[in-house]
Amino acid sequence: MARTTPPDHPPTEEEPLYRRIASELLGELRDGTVPPGERLPGERRLAGHFGVSRETVRQALELLRRDGLVATDRRGSHATLPGPPVETPASLTFPVGARAATPGTVSRATVAWEPPTPDHAEALGLAPGRPTLVHRYRYATADGRGLRTAVTSFSAVALTEVEELARYRDRADGTAAAQLRRAYDWMRRAGLTLHHRDTITRSASTPSVRVTRRVHDQYARPLEITDLVVDARRDALVYEFTLPGRTARPATAGASRRTPP
């Protein structure tokens, strides 16, 4: 959705510039770019997105407020178009494939501040060798089967926009436990619309399945990338996602696949 336009292009005689921006923003609200109830980006970011001044954005938002299409509270402005709020879908588990520890299993998650793997760095737009927050997850049954491991690298955008994630930087020593189960909820509360793309492949040399998840926001900026490896000898991989649609109605889909030993 990112755009590059000259600042404050002159309005036509027929329509003031702020009304044109209000119409464009309303179109993005209606097509689901910002779902009902979700917080809008701040004035500075909206001004950069539309290529206008913050005052023009302020006037456009005020016009939408008068029409009851945008509301403002202490957390900022949010869309009020008809439809269920973004909080209604069940929260997605982070990382993909994570499971709660049960008797006879081991579940551990840690974070480190370090350079990610080259493929993660490329996916996130990070310079080679630049450190970021890296999350590691491991789940295993007592007999060593049913093993799941996941490595997630976060982008600079995610750490800048999501306060809860940024707090982990000072304690990311690679050993302390880190529970980021609500990471996706934190991102949504920060005003980010999450788009998930999962690639599932089967390993040719081991009885396992690899899932690579890439998440970006409404501006096509990368937020995180996760590589999950699942022992498929007896484990079922359940794939669940929230699909942002043009009508902004949340939908979930699930699928499971079991590979015989």
Side-chain angles (χ1 to χ4, degrees):
M1 184 194 295
R3 68 173 76 184
T4 302
T5 55
D8 278 348
H9 40 294
T12 62
E13 295 181 0
E14 297 81 10
E15 183 180 38
L17 178 59
Y18 74 90
R19 286 186 175 273
R20 190 189 316 161
I21 298 305
S23 297
E24 292 186 30
L25 180 56
L26 179 59
E28 295 186 1
L29 296 179
R30 285 175 169 163
D31 70 12
T33 300
V34 180
E38 188 149 326
R39 189 158 60 95
L40 299 177
E43 290 179 359
R44 184 184 302 277
R45 193 185 306 168
L46 286 173
H49 172 57
F50 289 111
V52 298
S53 68
R54 292 180 65 180
E55 178 59 29
T56 298
V57 168
R58 198 171 294 121
Q59 291 176 326
L61 289 173
E62 179 58 31
L63 181 63
L64 295 177
R65 287 190 196 99
R66 291 203 302 265
D67 291 338
L69 301 172
V70 166
T72 301
D73 56 25
R74 60 185 180 83
R75 294 179 57 234
S77 298
H78 57 272
T80 60
L81 294 177
V86 295
E87 289 81 4
T88 52
S91 298
L92 293 176
T93 301
F94 175 88
V96 56
R99 286 186 168 184
T102 58
T105 65
V106 176
S107 178
R108 179 168 174 76
T110 60
V111 287
W113 184 258
E114 63 185 30
T117 60
D119 55 332
H120 278 207
E122 181 180 3
L124 299 176
L126 295 174
R130 178 179 176 181
T132 191
L133 191 69
V134 177
H135 179 273
R136 289 183 173 83
Y137 165 82
R138 187 179 189 276
Y139 172 96
T141 55
D143 59 5
R145 305 179 75 181
L147 178 66
R148 294 185 176 208
T149 61
V151 178
T152 300
S153 303
F154 292 98
S155 71
V157 171
L159 297 178
T160 299
E161 301 286 345
V162 184
E163 180 180 356
E164 294 87 346
L165 287 176
R167 292 174 185 165
Y168 275 90
R169 174 173 180 173
D170 294 336
R171 44 182 160 155
D173 59 4
T175 60
Q179 299 299 334
L180 304 188
R181 294 190 184 95
R182 299 190 61 195
Y184 293 140
D185 288 335
W186 297 340
M187 292 179 185
R188 290 153 65 96
R189 283 210 308 264
L192 304 175
T193 300
L194 308 185
H195 299 265
H196 300 257
R197 178 181 177 87
D198 290 12
T199 303
I200 305 176
T201 56
R202 184 174 179 180
S203 174
S205 57
T206 62
S208 62
V209 172
R210 177 181 294 273
V211 180
T212 299
R213 164 166 290 180
R214 298 171 183 247
V215 180
H216 65 269
D217 69 1
Q218 64 267 43
Y219 302 115
R221 300 178 301 179
L223 298 174
E224 62 107 332
I225 178 171
T226 297
D227 279 316
L228 165 74
V229 177
V230 179
D231 183 345
R233 288 175 292 181
R234 70 176 190 182
D235 205 4
L237 175 64
V238 177
Y239 174 47
E240 181 180 5
F241 63 94
T242 296
L243 179 64
R246 291 184 63 82
T247 58
R249 294 181 60 85
T252 59
S256 63
R257 173 173 180 156
R258 187 183 298 274
T259 304

